[in-house]
Amino acid sequence: MDRETFGKLQMTERIAYINEKLAAGEDYEKILAGVGLTLREAGVAGFIKVGKEVREKPGKGDNGFAW
C-alpha cells in the first residue's frame, strides 16, 4: 500500500492494517516503510506501539495523559 492510499484511510482502518501485518510477524519499522512513514511520522500521526499491537495515541488531556 502506498502512502497516499494509506493516508486516505480512517484511523481505525490504518491501525487495523498495521495490526494485521504485525500479527503476521512483520517488523513494525518495515510496515511503516512500506507505507512511506518513518517512526517519527507515525508518532506524530498518532500511532503508538504497545507490545505487539498498535493503538491510537491518546491526545493531550485524554485519560489523564498529556503527550
Side-chain angles (χ1 to χ4, degrees):
M1 180 178 301
D2 64 17
R3 185 179 177 123
E4 185 178 334
T5 305
F6 187 76
K8 290 180 181 177
L9 297 174
Q10 298 294 320
M11 183 57 111
T12 54
E13 294 170 318
R14 293 177 193 168
I15 291 171
Y17 175 82
I18 294 171
N19 282 333
E20 259 182 46
K21 297 279 190 178
L22 286 172
E26 292 188 41
D27 180 62
Y28 182 56
E29 289 185 44
K30 289 182 182 180
I31 296 167
L32 294 177
V35 296
L37 292 175
T38 65
L39 279 174
R40 186 179 191 305
E41 289 173 324
V44 170
F47 299 111
I48 184 167
K49 186 169 185 264
V50 180
K52 295 183 179 184
E53 71 176 15
V54 171
R55 297 182 184 167
E56 187 172 1
K57 186 188 293 187
K60 187 174 181 180
D62 291 348
N63 303 318
F65 294 103
W67 295 95

